[in-house]
Amino acid sequence: MKSVFDTLAAMGHEQVLLCADEPAGYRAIIAIHSTALGPALGGTRLLGYASDEDALVDALRLSRGMTYKNALAGMDVGGGKAVVLRSGAEPLDRERLFRAHGRFIERLGGRFITGEDVGTTPADMELIRRETRHVKGLAGEGGDPSPWTARGVLRAIQAGARHRWGSDELAGRTVALQGCGSVGGRLAAELHRLGARLLVADVDPDRARHVAAELGATVVPPDAIASVQADIFAPCALGGVLDDRAVQALRAEIVAGAANNQLLEPRHGDALAARGVLYVPDVVANAGGVLSGGADLFGWTRAEVHRRVQAIYDTVLRVLEMAASDGVSPQLAAERLAEARLRERAAAG
Ligand code: NAI
């Protein structure tokens, strides 16, 4: 088995903290993958894990993903992630928990800036803020990132269409959309506006029905949406949807959506390529949300955020062209492009 340090070295992490404040019921891992482009930016998730090792692996994987996402989005920030372990003990004393977390973040002196993630809320961020200013996404601040994420995913779909079919035109194309939530619902509206035909699914039937009624979409059962006959499959619900079974059953020519970590394992990226399916890596496609944070972090205007979200199109094309010319999966090409940007920056001092 690899040692912890070998794993860190292989994944390229700078620093990983194991944090504990037992009286507060607080145990957490803060993983700082890279500060080469700026302070490590990444959410804090609150989750129960089967083991501490699972939590560590999650923190390591997610923080590296943040470095890549930020670098590919052209953001001058690095990548990090915090995982607060949820024990079985209920109820949680959220104030003690998140204030303890805030104190650990404060001790990092700005090397790590956090925000909301799975299992945490703007109210939790307010609690962290009582101990440190290195937190974003407080209630009433920054706004909802989902419209920006949806717009970025649309641009990613258009770039995928251009690469695959030689045209951005989506009129008459059929899109199978998984998940009609904050991002999926908005993406559906944008696709409808451009004349695409929509097949939609959601485990919450009301959400799917709502989109169908509003946009004239067809509702598909959730377990069938990944394998329906469509031109494009847009996963906007959960991670890990592209597993062995889904990859084999896919009938779409392009996969591009908002969900994080769509590939269950890296090999599924190769399996998609082997089946001739064009995969637009989520790390590029869903960057609209992080880009919208530039308003808070760097004072970008709305127009500046818009310009950068639109440019997701160019980054996707570049990644897909690299993948084709290097003979690798788009996911690997995206990682290579991110690493090249990090090296460029390191060389520039
Ligand atoms: P959301 O929670 O508003 O929507 C997710 C929807 O998917 C819900 O309506 C849920 O009922 C549905 N769903 C869950 N499991 C499903 C299944 N098996 N089949 C069909 N539908 C299912 O979440 P949101 O904000 O729209 O995000 C969607 C995805 O995009 C998530 O994976 C999220 O991590 C990712 N993402 C979101 C960003 C944002 O700005 N909101 C930014 C970057 C990534």
Side-chain angles (χ1 to χ4, degrees), residues 69 144-146 149 178-184 201-204 207 222 236-239 258-260 286 289:
K69 184 184 292 199
D144 179 5
S146 308
T149 305
Q178 180 182 47
C180 304
S182 311
V183 178
D202 198 295
V203 286
D204 177 343
R207 290 199 174 176
C236 297
L238 307 167
N260 280 311
N286 69 15

Side-chain angles (χ1 to χ4, degrees), residues 45 69 117-118 144-150 153 177-186 200-205 207-208 220-223 225 235-239 241 257-262 282 285-290 292:
R45 53 176 57 183
K69 184 184 292 199
D117 203 279
V118 174
D144 179 5
S146 308
W148 295 110
T149 305
V153 173
L177 179 74
Q178 180 182 47
C180 304
S182 311
V183 178
R186 288 182 172 89
V200 299
D202 198 295
V203 286
D204 177 343
R207 290 199 174 176
V220 171
D223 58 359
I225 191 73
C236 297
L238 307 167
V241 288
N260 280 311
N261 304 313
Q262 290 164 29
D282 49 45
N286 69 15
V290 292
S292 73

Side-chain angles (χ1 to χ4, degrees), residues 36-211:
L37 298 180
L41 187 69
T44 290
R45 53 176 57 183
L46 173 67
L47 216 55
Y49 287 91
S51 69
D52 294 350
E53 287 70 26
D54 284 1
L56 178 62
V57 168
D58 209 23
L60 294 178
R61 209 172 43 91
L62 292 166
S63 54
R64 184 174 63 170
M66 286 304 296
T67 299
Y68 289 158
K69 184 184 292 199
N70 292 331
L72 288 165
M75 297 271 286
D76 283 344
V77 287
K81 201 79 170 187
V83 165
V84 178
L85 282 74
R86 185 168 192 151
S87 70
E90 301 287 344
L92 284 178
D93 184 340
R94 291 185 96 96
E95 173 158 0
R96 290 187 78 187
L97 195 68
F98 287 109
R99 290 189 69 162
H101 190 48
R103 287 193 290 277
F104 276 94
I105 293 171
E106 176 62 16
R107 278 178 221 143
L108 286 167
R111 274 171 56 74
F112 176 62
I113 301 173
T114 202
E116 232 187 290
D117 203 279
V118 174
T120 58
T121 64
D124 298 329
M125 300 305 117
E126 300 282 356
L127 295 170
I128 294 173
R129 171 62 71 92
R130 292 197 203 158
E131 304 288 347
T132 181
R133 65 194 162 83
H134 303 301
V135 54
K136 298 284 166 196
L138 289 89
E141 185 192 84
D144 179 5
S146 308
W148 295 110
T149 305
R151 156 76 22 186
V153 173
L154 179 72
R155 298 295 288 152
I157 290 175
Q158 288 175 320
R162 151 89 37 178
H163 184 86
R164 181 69 184 226
W165 301 309
S167 159
D168 300 358
E169 186 64 71
L170 296 176
R173 295 281 177 196
T174 303
V175 183
L177 179 74
Q178 180 182 47
C180 304
S182 311
V183 178
R186 288 182 172 89
L187 177 63
E190 297 232 24
L191 289 166
H192 174 73
R193 188 174 53 79
L194 296 178
R197 284 188 54 232
L198 289 167
L199 307 173
V200 299
D202 198 295
V203 286
D204 177 343
D206 286 342
R207 290 199 174 176
R209 274 199 293 268
H210 178 76
V211 170

